[in-house]
Each structure stands twice: as C-alpha cells, then as structure tokens.
Amino acid sequence: QVQLVESGGGLVQPGESLTLSCVTSGGTLERYAIAWFRQAPGKEREGVSCIDVKPANTYYALSVKGRFTIRRDNAKNTVHLEMSSLKPEDSAIYYCAVKGTSLPTWCGSWRSTDFHHWGQGTQVTVSS
C-alpha cells in the first residue's frame, strides 16, 4: 500500500520560514496526485496545496498563495512544502495525502474525501 511519512514541523516565530517533507513509498509520485492539508483546533480541515502528476500543475489556497510552495522530487520520492512569512494563523497539524480512488493523477476539486492515504501529521506552531 501507499505509505506517507511527514517531518519538519516545529515551533517558529512569526515571519520565519519552515519546510515540511513527505516521504512516500516508491512510485507513488508517478501514479497519484498529492496534497497538503492542515487542521487547527476548533477548525475544519482545509486544503493547503496540491500537485498533479503530469504536467505538474500546482494549486494553492488563497490564504497561503505567494508564501507557500509545493515541490516534488520524484528521484527521492519526496514532496516538500516550503513555507515563508509564517503567521500565527498558519499553526496547525499538517498532513500529506495521496489521491487514490478515481482520476488519481490530478487534483480535481481537491476534496479531502478524495484522498485515501494519509500520513501521521506534523505539528507546526507559529508563536512569538
């Protein structure tokens, strides 16, 4: 099965940068679209970014556009989420997830229910 392992979370001050990593099982990134979601206490899970298989089109939530970048490294089976100019409202548990049901190679409407494989999550806290 598809396996995902996130890492890179931690405590940072507002305005600083942080990069998250998601290591996948071999071949995953060539078969499925992959996305980053986040969930903060008292809030619903929201999509942060997503990338299609080929062409590698990328998508971002309006709240992070211009500050976050999703980057895929097929050779290392890894997807990164580069986060800059972090704000306290970015604090959440971040998850990477793979789309594994219908039309798996593209993000489409980017709904969490369309992604069937999830990592364990990594905590990001932005506070002064």
Side-chain angles (χ1 to χ4, degrees):
Q1 65 172 358
V2 174
Q3 295 183 326
L4 308 168
V5 180
E6 302 102 328
S7 63
L11 173 64
V12 297
Q13 297 183 9
E16 294 185 340
S17 300
L18 196 65
T19 297
L20 306 182
S21 298
C22 176
V23 179
T24 70
S25 49
T28 296
L29 300 183
E30 297 181 347
R31 299 184 179 92
Y32 311 102
I34 187 167
W36 286 94
F37 293 84
R38 68 185 182 186
Q39 187 165 23
K43 296 184 178 181
E44 296 183 349
R45 184 182 301 164
E46 65 172 339
V48 177
S49 183
C50 190
I51 183 169
D52 293 338
V53 174
K54 187 177 182 179
N57 296 318
T58 57
Y59 311 88
Y60 298 92
L62 293 177
S63 60
V64 307
K65 187 173 295 184
R67 298 189 298 118
F68 290 12
T69 299
I70 187 169
R71 179 168 57 83
R72 184 178 66 198
D73 188 337
N74 290 353
K76 297 182 179 180
N77 300 308
T78 303
V79 171
H80 303 281
L81 183 66
E82 300 173 349
M83 306 183 293
S84 300
S85 301
L86 284 164
K87 306 174 181 179
E89 50 263 44
D90 292 319
S91 298
I93 298 177
Y94 284 71
Y95 302 89
C96 62
V98 166
K99 191 176 183 185
T101 307
S102 60
L103 301 174
T105 63
W106 61 290
C107 296
S109 58
W110 192 15
R111 299 174 181 175
S112 62
T113 53
D114 292 332
F115 291 75
H116 292 187
H117 302 278
W118 296 77
Q120 82 289 348
T122 185
Q123 177 72 53
V124 173
T125 302
V126 185
S127 177
S128 60

